[in-house]
Amino acid sequence: MKSTLKDVAAMAGVSFKTVSRVINREGSVKAETLDKVNKAIQKLNYQPNNAARNLAGTSSYTIGFLYDNPNAYYVIDMQNGILSECRDRGYELLIHPCLADSENILSEIKTLVKNSQLAGLIVCPPLSEMPDVLEAIKELEVSFIRIISGSDEKKESSPCIFIHDHEAAYEITEHLIAQGHKKIAFIGGDKGHHSTGERFKGYLHALEQHNIEKHDEYIFDGHYSFESGVEGAKYLLALENPPTAIFCCNDEIAAGTLFASRLMNFDVPEQLSIAGFEDSPFSRQTWPKLTTAAQPTNTIARQAAAALISHIIAKRKRSSKEGEIPHQHFQPKLVVRESTNKKLP
């Protein structure tokens, strides 16, 4: 038979409420008692019945993950990170993909939260960067945390995890400049994502700081896809004065750029350096492997879930108000690989 909360309490020699506090990580349990309860949970292989918990009262033990992103690697890393924390904290995860540009997106989100009785939401770009979506979530009075591109806390009153794309893009571009490149092109991602703008600003900032002139013909507006990299590379490398380096807005674009450059007989990195962003499997499955900016998506997701669940528990104890989840910051780190490992004379 499946173990119950009462079974755990009996084995540990504590009350039903004490076990509940341990499972919910309320932080008010003595270390010795905590150890006894955890050992009992492990020995009995106890798993919280969240469906029963949700039905038992007004408290919900389910959080939602709201996203619109074509990058399967990003979505999987986010799901795994959130799910790991949910399992450790006795929560369920409801995964909800949607279309950010749908005319019914606001009503869809409202229906999701109400019908599923969610305790909280983790919202990813571009939804997390849309003011009307933010207002709709606030009206629902549900705990939430947003993952957004940027670093300016003053502009954001609601809880956010900031990804410092601007700084990381600057670092990538500066690396290309250090390799001797002055003709550096940029292939952008979807304009609906703030990450595209932040990475473009970082690229421009590096050019400006090193007194390198921006050439409009080296800027290609694309999408976060392999096909966009192919299309962008074909355009850029067919120019009368083609670039010697291309900074792509993500690794999928960079992989497409590498593919097209080979079709056009450009040797990488001898004739052309290519850099991506995010350190997804695309960056490691190509040859040569791609220089990129490592973005710890799984860690970001797990910390978002941890902050959200801790806030939900604190609210139930009436010791926290909505909006008091602390901001967090992550900056992707430069990873130099073979695709840019060639200094120009």
Side-chain angles (χ1 to χ4, degrees):
M1 291 179 62
K2 188 175 181 180
S3 300
T4 68
L5 204 67
K6 290 183 179 179
D7 295 330
V8 175
M11 178 173 283
V14 298
S15 69
F16 180 91
K17 288 184 178 180
T18 297
V19 177
S20 179
R21 285 199 295 270
V22 171
I23 291 172
N24 290 322
R25 294 192 179 184
E26 294 185 10
S28 56
V29 182
K30 293 180 179 179
E32 182 181 355
T33 304
L34 181 65
D35 184 58
K36 288 195 295 185
V37 173
N38 282 330
K39 284 181 178 178
I41 288 173
Q42 186 175 10
K43 188 170 183 179
L44 293 170
N45 193 27
Y46 171 73
Q47 297 292 329
N49 186 338
N50 290 322
R53 292 160 86 195
N54 288 341
L55 291 171
T58 58
S59 296
S60 169
Y61 293 87
T62 302
I63 63 173
F65 168 40
L66 198 62
Y67 72 91
D68 174 10
N69 194 309
N71 187 333
Y73 291 119
Y74 175 85
V75 172
I76 290 170
D77 277 349
M78 284 295 302
Q79 290 178 2
N80 288 340
I82 298 170
L83 190 56
S84 294
E85 189 65 23
C86 284
R87 284 172 173 165
D88 285 353
R89 305 288 287 271
Y91 274 69
E92 295 289 346
L93 174 63
L94 177 64
I95 300 167
H96 188 81
C98 55
L99 297 175
D101 58 359
S102 168
E103 61 181 18
N104 299 318
I105 186 62
L106 300 183
S107 60
E108 181 180 344
I109 293 171
K110 290 178 181 179
T111 300
L112 168 72
V113 174
K114 291 177 180 178
N115 289 356
S116 303
Q117 297 182 323
L118 296 179
L121 273 176
I122 296 174
V123 192
C124 288
L127 294 158
S128 59
E129 298 162 341
M130 297 167 60
D132 53 347
V133 169
L134 176 58
E135 288 304 314
I137 294 173
K138 285 182 176 179
E139 289 176 8
L140 294 167
E141 297 185 349
V142 62
S143 297
F144 67 96
I145 188 166
R146 301 154 60 212
I147 299 171
I148 67 173
S149 178
S151 59
D152 190 353
E153 292 188 6
K154 295 179 181 178
K155 291 183 179 179
E156 305 294 342
S157 58
S158 59
C160 294
I161 291 185
F162 295 97
I163 313 301
H164 293 217
D165 288 308
H166 179 286
E167 292 82 352
Y170 180 97
E171 195 173 0
I172 288 175
T173 309
E174 192 169 55
H175 162 70
L176 294 172
I177 294 170
Q179 296 295 100
H181 296 284
K182 293 186 178 180
K183 297 188 292 182
I184 305 172
F186 179 88
I187 301 179
D190 296 80
K191 288 189 174 180
H193 290 249
H194 285 189
S195 58
T196 298
E198 288 293 308
R199 293 170 194 179
F200 182 55
K201 290 175 184 176
Y203 157 80
L204 291 179
H205 187 198
L207 294 184
E208 180 183 355
Q209 288 295 303
H210 291 271
N211 298 312
I212 297 175
E213 183 180 356
K214 175 179 78 77
H215 295 282
D216 290 338
E217 65 268 27
Y218 285 170
I219 312 302
F220 185 85
D221 291 331
H223 302 279
Y224 284 119
S225 69
F226 182 93
E227 293 75 17
S228 194
V230 173
E231 185 182 357
K234 286 182 176 179
Y235 159 75
L236 292 166
L237 298 178
L239 292 172
E240 184 176 347
N241 186 23
T244 60
I246 302 176
F247 173 22
C248 304
C249 224
N250 78 347
D251 294 327
E252 194 169 354
I253 297 172
T257 299
L258 176 60
F259 175 77
S261 67
R262 283 187 166 160
L263 291 179
M264 300 175 73
N265 296 316
F266 278 79
D267 186 277
V268 178
E270 293 293 328
Q271 295 173 286
L272 177 70
S273 288
I274 299 172
F277 202 106
E278 289 173 6
D279 196 28
S280 76
F282 277 106
S283 69
R284 302 183 293 276
Q285 293 169 351
T286 61
W287 184 257
K289 294 180 181 179
L290 295 166
T291 289
T292 187
Q295 180 173 291
T297 303
N298 189 286
T299 301
I300 291 168
R302 181 148 198 167
Q303 291 198 20
L308 179 62
I309 293 171
S310 293
H311 176 69
I312 292 167
I313 293 170
K315 276 183 65 178
R316 287 176 183 153
K317 294 167 64 178
R318 298 188 178 181
S319 62
S320 176
K321 296 179 181 178
E322 186 170 358
E324 291 183 350
I325 302 175
H327 291 312
Q328 298 183 50
H329 295 261
F330 286 89
Q331 179 172 329
K333 301 298 183 183
L334 176 67
V335 178
V336 177
R337 297 196 179 107
E338 293 87 348
S339 68
T340 64
N341 193 20
K342 173 67 177 179
K343 279 203 171 188
L344 295 184

